[in-house]
Amino acid sequence: MTSATGLPAGMQVIVRDWLNANHVLFLHEQNVLIDSGHLSGLATTRREVSRRLAGRTLHLLANTHCHSDHMGGNAALQREYRCRVLIPEGEAARVRDWDTRALWLDYAGQRAERFAFDATIGCGTTMRWGGLDWQALAAAGHDDGALMFFCREEGILISGDALWERGLGVVLADPPGGLAAARRTLELIATLDVRLVVPGHGTPFNDVRAALSACHARLDALEADPRRLARSTLKTMLSFAVLERGEMTEADARAVVNAAPIYREYNERFLKQPPEQLFDALLLELERAGALTRAQGTIRPQA
Ligand SMILES: [Zn+2]
């Protein structure tokens, strides 16, 4: 667990991992937390947040977007601190109705605890966090309702999963338009004077140009081949499912692929493989890429 340096007073970044999104914590008149990690990492989230609050309370919790690795601790933190919860306007309907398809929950074999929000953050709105102005900007692509938060004065961008140092969050093959939206988000970032990016995963970084070109190259490759995009989406979902459980038997992992609708739908639409071969094909590719290992019928994330 590390804290990033080079940040304005009162702003801390708690760098987590690929399963739990990073947290940003503002300690000021209002103590504000951005993103709450995954449900399975909740004990660490609570400990790290409470250690830094050091007896103070949390007034507000806000999300960059509402995927299971960013909102998994919302319900628990809300109970613990009675904090207000703010989510992007574009996520409101799906969270209110707990639309597990739009939230990528059972649709993609993921889980999160249901929570209620107090208000939404609209695109273009400016929030006062940590004594600084943060403007909410549209960050569609990986998630069509996502926002990023930009502080012009400090040149800091809280990018969520719209931009990481070497990539971006998975873009769905269906509905279409995700890649084009992701590209527009990158183009928007390129117009900002960004000194430091605080990504949803990975350590904060300064070289925005390099990150943007890596993302464009990745989008070019995916755009050229819809089957590749579909496979890439499914492989990300499968490795996330294994990561979420720490390890899985091959039989359990196969059951996830058979049960979560995204696998069947993408296979029917894009891959057109015999259904019983889909799991083996995905697993083999993930093993070859070094993302997962398989031994004695157990699958583990590559350490
Ligand atoms: Zn996400």
Side-chain angles (χ1 to χ4, degrees):
M1 203 66 45
T2 53
S3 273
T5 49
L7 296 167
M11 177 181 179
Q12 298 187 21
V13 179
I14 307 173
V15 176
R16 298 291 299 273
D17 47 39
W18 289 103
L19 179 59
N20 294 275
N22 295 336
H23 316 283
V24 179
L25 182 62
F26 294 101
L27 297 174
H28 202 69
E29 289 149 21
Q30 292 270 306
N31 302 320
V32 180
L33 185 74
I34 314 292
D35 285 342
S36 64
H38 190 272
L39 185 57
S40 64
L42 183 59
T44 305
T45 303
R46 292 179 62 184
R47 187 184 67 234
E48 292 299 320
V49 169
S50 143
R51 190 162 71 78
R52 286 168 171 81
L53 284 170
R56 292 165 288 206
T57 193
L58 183 67
H59 299 96
L60 182 75
L61 169 59
N63 295 112
T64 56
H65 64 294
C66 293
H67 283 157
S68 66
D69 53 332
H70 292 254
M71 52 107 164
N74 277 24
L77 293 175
Q78 197 172 28
R79 277 195 297 273
E80 184 167 350
Y81 294 105
R82 304 196 172 282
C83 52
R84 279 167 56 76
V85 174
L86 260 56
I87 63 169
E89 206 167 47
E91 307 277 16
R94 58 187 66 155
V95 172
R96 187 182 299 120
D97 304 339
W98 207 245
D99 178 344
T100 58
R101 182 182 177 98
L103 293 169
W104 299 7
L105 297 176
D106 55 3
Y107 173 59
Q110 299 182 19
R111 66 200 171 96
E113 187 182 351
R114 188 170 185 166
F115 67 93
F117 57 90
D118 298 288
T120 60
I121 304 172
C123 229
T125 318
T126 298
M127 271 79 52
R128 190 82 183 157
W129 292 335
L132 295 163
D133 284 339
W134 294 86
Q135 195 184 11
L137 301 169
H142 162 70
D143 177 321
D144 60 5
L147 292 174
M148 348 178 242
F149 304 113
F150 181 55
C151 175
R152 202 169 299 277
E153 195 183 329
E154 292 284 340
I156 300 178
L157 179 72
I158 298 170
S159 62
D161 289 347
L163 181 71
W164 302 332
E165 189 166 13
R166 287 180 198 84
L168 72 167
V170 61
V171 176
L172 292 190
D174 183 46
L179 293 176
R183 217 181 271 286
R184 282 195 297 277
T185 299
L186 299 177
E187 282 160 4
L188 169 62
I189 295 173
T191 67
L192 307 172
D193 194 4
V194 179
R195 170 183 72 83
L196 180 74
V197 178
V198 177
H201 303 270
T203 50
F205 59 93
N206 304 108
D207 197 345
V208 188
R209 299 285 141 195
L212 289 173
S213 13
C215 286
H216 278 296
R218 171 102 184 115
L219 294 180
D220 289 344
L222 293 171
E223 212 157 47
D225 183 358
R227 285 166 52 91
R228 181 169 170 184
L229 174 62
R231 273 206 315 279
S232 144
T233 305
L234 295 185
K235 282 188 288 181
T236 304
M237 295 305 180
L238 181 54
S239 32
F240 193 86
V242 178
L243 202 59
E244 185 188 295
R245 293 156 180 89
E247 61 174 43
M248 284 178 100
T249 65
E250 227 175 294
D252 286 348
R254 192 181 294 276
V256 166
V257 169
N258 289 335
I262 192 171
Y263 296 98
R264 189 186 61 251
E265 291 176 15
Y266 277 33
N267 192 27
E268 281 169 7
R269 177 133 187 236
F270 301 102
L271 305 177
K272 304 184 196 314
Q273 282 194 299
E276 65 281 4
Q277 287 174 17
L278 178 65
F279 171 75
D280 296 298
L282 294 173
L283 183 57
L284 194 62
E285 283 192 41
L286 285 165
E287 277 186 290
R288 283 193 183 140
L292 298 177
T293 60
R294 163 165 45 177
Q296 280 105 45
T298 300
I299 304 170
R300 293 187 178 85
Q302 183 71 276

